[in-house]
Amino acid sequence: MSTPSRRARIYSGTPRNLARLAGVLRSGGLVAVPTETVYGLAANALDAGACRKIFRVKRRPSTDPLIVHIRSLAELPRLAHVNANALKLAKAFWPGPLTLVLPKTGVVPSVVSAGRSSVAVRMPAHPLFRRLLRLAGLPLAAPSANPFGYVSPTSADHVRAGLGARISHILDGGSCRVGLESTIVDLRDPEHPRLLRPGAITRAELERVLGRPVARPGPAGRANAAQLAPGLLKRHYSPNTPIVLHERLGRADVAAGKPGEAWVFLAKPPGARGGEIFWLDARGDLRGVARRLFALLRRLDHAGFTTLHFECPASDEGLAQAINDRLRRAAARG
Ligand code: TXA
Ligand code: MG
């Protein structure tokens, strides 16, 4: 993007700033907000005009529905037709990184649900976002605060780098604790829950609470998966630098590489040296890997490397599944 003509202002979470930003939201404006997963671009979910601005600013196709954020469980029945299994999950994991897809009520504008009869709802855990939700007194629609198709932002600076010329208000809540977008579960049919997007809340955790199997997400980009959760295109979260994924990385791979390539390990490799070797978490702890993945993808994308080599978690269960999902999407071309 060229030099932004107008820079968005970054606000700290003082009571005065929060009151001002709540006023912006109440009058139909947009505010970028911190959540525990990634930063979101928020608008009054009950105001179709305000939500249309989100699509324009992100250059997001109108076929890709938004997630609605609420502050308390009591707000859910106004937006969605609730069932017992949805309540079980909400009680177990809210506030937190879990989004429920349910049949929508008439108050949700069709621009939010992209014309569908369902709505995605989540109760975020970030304390500043929760205070803003309370002050605004509204449910807030918010997709990730990045231009459509790029890596999701996990800091206020990431938001400003991507959207700073197109929005005015960014609330700074520090670096996102989880670092990957929420787990999305389709509960329209309570008897057949289905995972639409893996995240920090794992399929095993959902199954434990529900006492029944939760269907896996379809392979990325397959027509049926795209119909279920239309934003989940195969190529997403994509940096501009080509990415190559590896089941394991070792010294021999690095030695055989070409100049200008970067090597990203899950854990710090023994004796690591040189400006082209990186790691996501000193000990390879997957929560640390998830937390730092998007920030490192962005940094390396702007560092002038020709290729980014990434080591993937070996298992494809739990948090590893969510990390692998994002790495595969980042590496997908075309
Ligand atoms: O962690 C998160 O979920 C973040 C923060 C800001 O809350 N939000 C986020 O939003 O990742 P976004 O727009 O980048 O991804 C939302 C995805 C859509 O692309 C779509 O796949 C799915 O949620 N979705 C939304 N409404 C849906 C619906 N009614 N049915 C199926 N999928 C839906
Ligand atoms: Mg997104």
Side-chain angles (χ1 to χ4, degrees), residues 129-149:
F129 189 17
R130 293 183 60 72
R131 264 188 255 159
L132 190 61
L133 279 162
R134 181 167 52 76
L135 289 169
L138 295 164
L140 296 175
S144 50
N146 51 290
F148 184 72

Side-chain angles (χ1 to χ4, degrees), residues 72-319:
S72 74
L73 195 49
E75 293 173 59
L76 184 60
R78 187 170 170 220
L79 304 167
H81 297 289
V82 186
N83 56 60
N85 280 340
L87 275 182
K88 272 193 201 167
L89 292 183
K91 285 186 177 143
F93 299 111
W94 282 359
L98 177 69
T99 296
L100 303 176
V101 172
L102 291 167
K104 81 178 192 74
T105 66
V107 306
V108 180
S110 71
V111 56
V112 169
S113 61
R116 296 163 169 256
S117 56
S118 58
V119 63
V121 186
R122 152 167 135 77
M123 189 197 298
H126 195 291
L128 282 188
F129 189 17
R130 293 183 60 72
R131 264 188 255 159
L132 190 61
L133 279 162
R134 181 167 52 76
L135 289 169
L138 295 164
L140 296 175
S144 50
N146 51 290
F148 184 72
Y150 196 64
V151 182
S152 292
T154 53
S155 74
D157 282 337
H158 294 164
V159 178
R160 185 154 64 177
L163 297 178
R166 308 177 62 97
I167 61 173
S168 304
H169 310 285
I170 302 171
L171 174 59
D172 188 354
S175 291
C176 300
R177 177 170 55 80
V178 175
L180 301 179
E181 304 84 349
S182 60
T183 303
I184 306 182
V185 189
D186 180 359
L187 269 170
R188 286 172 305 164
D189 175 355
E191 306 303 315
H192 296 97
R194 179 188 281 269
L195 188 62
L196 298 183
R197 178 171 73 183
I201 295 189
T202 64
R203 207 163 60 91
E205 288 178 288
L206 299 169
E207 290 180 340
R208 208 174 306 131
V209 169
L210 291 177
R212 67 172 68 227
V214 172
R216 288 169 171 280
R222 275 249 307 271
N224 66 340
Q227 275 160 16
L228 286 167
L232 303 188
L233 307 171
K234 184 168 170 213
R235 183 179 172 161
H236 212 127
Y237 315 105
S238 285
N240 300 310
T241 316
I243 291 180
V244 178
L245 303 182
H246 300 260
E247 274 175 30
R248 272 199 84 84
L249 273 184
R251 263 169 217 263
D253 300 290
V254 180
K258 300 191 194 69
E261 298 185 325
W263 302 87
V264 184
F265 292 78
L266 293 168
K268 182 173 184 215
R273 211 175 297 120
E276 74 285 357
I277 295 184
F278 303 87
W279 53 91
L280 283 156
D281 183 88
R283 286 174 298 113
D285 175 65
L286 290 185
R287 275 171 307 184
V289 168
R291 192 179 308 131
R292 286 185 280 272
L293 176 61
F294 288 166
L296 190 62
L297 268 174
R298 281 172 177 264
R299 200 175 111 210
L300 296 184
D301 198 24
H302 295 112
F305 291 108
T306 55
T307 304
L308 311 177
H309 294 272
F310 271 85
E311 183 179 39
C312 300
S315 117
D316 210 18
E317 289 299 325
L319 189 52

